[in-house]
Amino acid sequence: MSLDGTYDGGNIFAKILRGEMPAARVFEDDHVLAFMDVFPQARGHTLVIPKHSAARNLLDEDPAVLSQVILGVQRVARAVRAALNPDGIVVTQFNGAPAGQTVYHLHFHIIPRWEGVALGRHAAGGMADPAELKVLAEQIAAQIS
Ligand code: 5GP
């Protein structure tokens, strides 16, 4: 899918938001939901999405909504740091299939990095153990402030 197109309410993140699909949920407020990426590029790979949005990507999003989303990204990234003590954190966001986007509901990736640990491939790794994701989600959630 290119940068142009229509929002599809049947996308996987919309289903997670509606509770139609399971996810290891970390945090939510009025504006955002954070949950564990099920094909993580690193331990603790977390996604942050707007809750009330029909934006497929960053370019589509209402600036007022985007402001709240990026505040949520910072809040969750701080919790990831506190919970997992990484050496660094990558925040990524893809727009359009040629850029690597695979799910067309705006989202940000929060990916902890440790010295000497290679980054997994984007949207191409193995599925994580749901029980492990649940533990990670609880550890990160406990550090939300
Ligand atoms: P994108 O490629 O659009 O930037 O990122 C989509 C992300 O969603 C990928 O990192 C992929 O691993 C993740 N993902 C795909 N399907 C699911 C799912 O059903 N549940 C969760 N939690 N993550 C998913």
Side-chain angles (χ1 to χ4, degrees):
M1 189 182 287
S2 75
L3 291 175
D4 299 312
T6 305
Y7 181 83
D8 175 6
N11 76 75
I12 189 72
F13 293 171
K15 288 181 179 175
I16 288 171
L17 276 170
R18 293 194 295 265
E20 296 168 8
M21 290 289 290
R25 290 174 175 240
V26 172
F27 166 75
E28 70 181 296
D29 63 12
D30 290 345
H31 307 286
V32 300
L33 171 67
F35 53 96
M36 306 311 297
D37 195 305
V38 82
F39 303 105
Q41 288 182 256
R43 189 170 71 91
H45 183 166
T46 307
L47 300 169
V48 177
I49 68 174
K51 284 171 71 171
H52 310 291
S53 176
R56 291 164 309 129
N57 57 48
L58 184 81
L59 284 67
D60 285 351
E61 190 55 280
D62 180 293
V65 175
L66 185 59
S67 304
Q68 295 298 332
V69 176
I70 202 68
L71 291 173
V73 170
Q74 185 192 49
R75 196 170 180 190
V76 174
R78 285 175 166 169
V80 167
R81 181 187 189 188
L84 304 179
N85 195 30
D87 300 314
I89 296 176
V90 178
V91 174
T92 54
Q93 190 279 318
F94 302 88
N95 300 282
Q101 187 174 11
T102 58
V103 178
Y104 298 93
H105 179 109
L106 173 63
H107 55 281
F108 287 82
H109 300 257
I110 297 170
I111 308 174
R113 298 296 312 274
W114 287 268
E115 296 281 358
V117 179
L119 184 66
R121 289 178 58 204
H122 172 67
M127 185 178 278
D129 177 353
E132 285 179 21
L133 290 186
K134 184 168 181 288
V135 170
L136 283 164
E138 289 168 356
Q139 289 174 338
I140 297 167
Q143 297 297 332
I144 294 282
S145 58

